[in-house]
Amino acid sequence: HPDVEPTLILGVDAAAGLGTWHRAAELPGLAELAVVDRPGPTSDPPPMVRHLKVPQLDVSSTEIRRRVATGAPFEVLCPPGVVSLIRGWSLYDTADGS
């Protein structure tokens, strides 16, 4: 889809460490960067990203990966499309959640 610009959406907690990511400087050329607030203490989003206001849910990707890896229910924490991708690609079903 050449006419569609992808957007990488990060929690403000993950975005705070964006400068430590491998090849982080290349990200703005690959996708628009957007940051959403997360429950708990937050910091200001880094410059050059769009800040999205969304309802806050206390859900983390770490918790979703842990649940999938241990066979615990995770479906209520993700939209149906994400559940289908996780199951279809057998994502996170290893002991380390990778």
Side-chain angles (χ1 to χ4, degrees), residues 3 10 17 29-30 40 45-46 48-49 61 77 80 88 93:
D3 297 335
L10 302 167
L30 299 172
M48 299 176 17
V49 299
S61 58
L77 303 177
D93 59 3

Side-chain angles (χ1 to χ4, degrees), residues 23-50:
R23 298 170 58 183
E26 296 176 26
L27 285 173
L30 299 172
E32 178 182 15
L33 301 178
V35 174
V36 295
D37 290 330
R38 304 244 316 129
T42 62
S43 58
D44 291 329
M48 299 176 17
V49 299
R50 185 161 48 143

Side-chain angles (χ1 to χ4, degrees), residues 4-86:
V4 176
E5 182 179 2
T7 301
L8 175 61
I9 302 172
L10 302 167
V12 71
D13 52 337
L18 195 60
T20 66
W21 290 20
H22 179 68
R23 298 170 58 183
E26 296 176 26
L27 285 173
L30 299 172
E32 178 182 15
L33 301 178
V35 174
V36 295
D37 290 330
R38 304 244 316 129
T42 62
S43 58
D44 291 329
M48 299 176 17
V49 299
R50 185 161 48 143
H51 188 206
L52 303 175
K53 299 284 186 185
V54 298
Q56 293 187 26
L57 301 173
D58 196 7
V59 176
S60 73
S61 58
T62 301
E63 176 63 12
I64 293 168
R65 290 191 302 270
R66 184 198 66 75
R67 286 177 177 233
V68 173
T70 62
F74 71 95
E75 297 81 1
V76 299
L77 303 177
C78 302
V82 173
V83 172
S84 293
L85 288 174
I86 289 172

